[in-house]
Amino acid sequence: MNYADIFSEIIISENFRNKLESINQNYPNLKQESFIRNTLLEIINKTYSHSQLRAFAEHPREKGRTDLSLVNLIDNSVFKVELKFQFTKDDNHFEKYNKVVVKDFETKNSDLFIMIVCSFENKIKREYDKTWGISSNLSRFHSDKDVWKENLKVCFDGFSEKACLEEFEINVSKPYLTNYIFYLLKRNIENN
């Protein structure tokens, strides 16, 4: 079983898209990394409830906490996943984001690095926040420039010998149109 494919299959599912929309409806004023991680964990544990495979958050704790892991009792294996949730203006439009990927993918020896980039139309987001009196102002982390896409491409290209990259885009409409791009950097099996 290729554990990385489990995540790809979940992310492209209608069930996950619906749960992502619910997260965005309920937590539009927060970074949503932990909610998305927990959703992935819950889907995996429900799907594999009658097997020897189980997902855990914040485990194992080697070289820092691992965001999410899959533990298989049959072969005592641990598949480690690091997640990042970012907005398009974060880390100077991801200009030198490779340092983050090196830390979370290479230094922690993760099997999968999932980066979620969230974007929305600033004007609509500000109007929504104003209507509800939300002061967190996540719009300040969002860029109207597309330079972040090229910066990420350059960043991920630096890992092409060790891993392959998959990209999935999900749009949700509630409470306002929000775009999520999931980048899955999967360690090549022969490099394990």
Side-chain angles (χ1 to χ4, degrees):
M1 173 185 306
N2 185 336
Y3 298 126
D5 290 344
I6 290 172
F7 290 90
S8 299
E9 290 171 16
I10 290 170
I11 289 168
I12 63 172
S13 72
E14 188 63 23
N15 178 37
F16 183 74
R17 196 204 73 72
N18 292 336
K19 290 182 182 292
L20 191 59
E21 185 156 58
S22 178
I23 290 168
N24 201 49
Q25 279 184 280
N26 289 297
Y27 307 101
N29 60 319
L30 300 173
K31 286 189 94 167
Q32 300 166 355
E33 179 178 321
S34 62
F35 305 109
I36 294 171
R37 180 206 58 202
N38 293 347
T39 296
L40 290 166
L41 179 146
E42 291 167 11
I43 291 171
I44 290 167
N45 286 340
K46 183 176 182 183
T47 303
Y48 294 93
S49 65
H50 299 296
S51 75
Q52 298 293 314
L53 184 68
R54 184 150 183 87
F56 293 93
E58 306 289 327
H59 168 76
R61 294 180 181 218
E62 305 162 353
K63 299 180 185 177
R65 297 177 186 174
T66 300
D67 289 329
L68 180 63
S69 64
L70 300 181
V71 177
N72 187 332
L73 290 180
I74 293 172
D75 62 6
N76 293 316
S77 64
V78 178
F79 184 85
K80 299 182 290 185
V81 181
E82 288 296 327
L83 285 94
K84 289 291 182 230
F85 183 92
Q86 308 291 165
F87 295 105
T88 57
K89 202 174 188 180
D90 287 350
D91 207 20
N92 196 25
H93 301 93
F94 308 114
E95 191 173 299
K96 296 182 180 175
Y97 201 75
N98 62 324
K99 291 185 278 186
V100 174
V101 181
V102 165
K103 176 183 170 263
D104 280 358
F105 190 63
E106 289 186 350
T107 305
K108 289 186 172 185
N109 196 29
S110 300
D111 299 293
L112 177 63
F113 177 83
I114 300 175
M115 181 174 175
I116 307 150
V117 179
C118 179
S119 64
F120 41 77
E121 190 176 314
N122 269 333
K123 181 181 178 193
I124 293 171
K125 171 71 170 142
R126 280 197 287 282
E127 288 172 6
Y128 178 86
D129 288 355
K130 183 179 178 184
T131 298
W132 292 100
I134 296 171
S135 60
S136 57
N137 189 18
L138 295 178
S139 294
R140 72 184 186 271
F141 302 117
H142 184 269
S143 175
D144 292 325
K145 301 175 187 175
D146 278 344
V147 66
W148 66 271
K149 291 179 182 178
E150 185 57 35
N151 289 341
L152 273 183
K153 182 184 178 326
V154 169
C155 169
F156 287 130
D157 282 350
F159 296 90
S160 62
E161 289 183 21
K162 299 174 183 171
C164 64
L165 182 69
E166 286 187 327
E167 181 180 330
F168 304 101
E169 188 169 339
I170 301 172
N171 292 304
V172 300
S173 58
K174 296 177 184 174
Y176 43 81
L177 185 61
T178 305
N179 175 265
Y180 296 87
I181 300 177
F182 286 77
Y183 296 93
L184 280 68
L185 190 63
K186 300 177 174 184
R187 188 171 300 282
N188 291 335
I189 293 171
E190 58 271 8
N191 288 329
N192 282 341

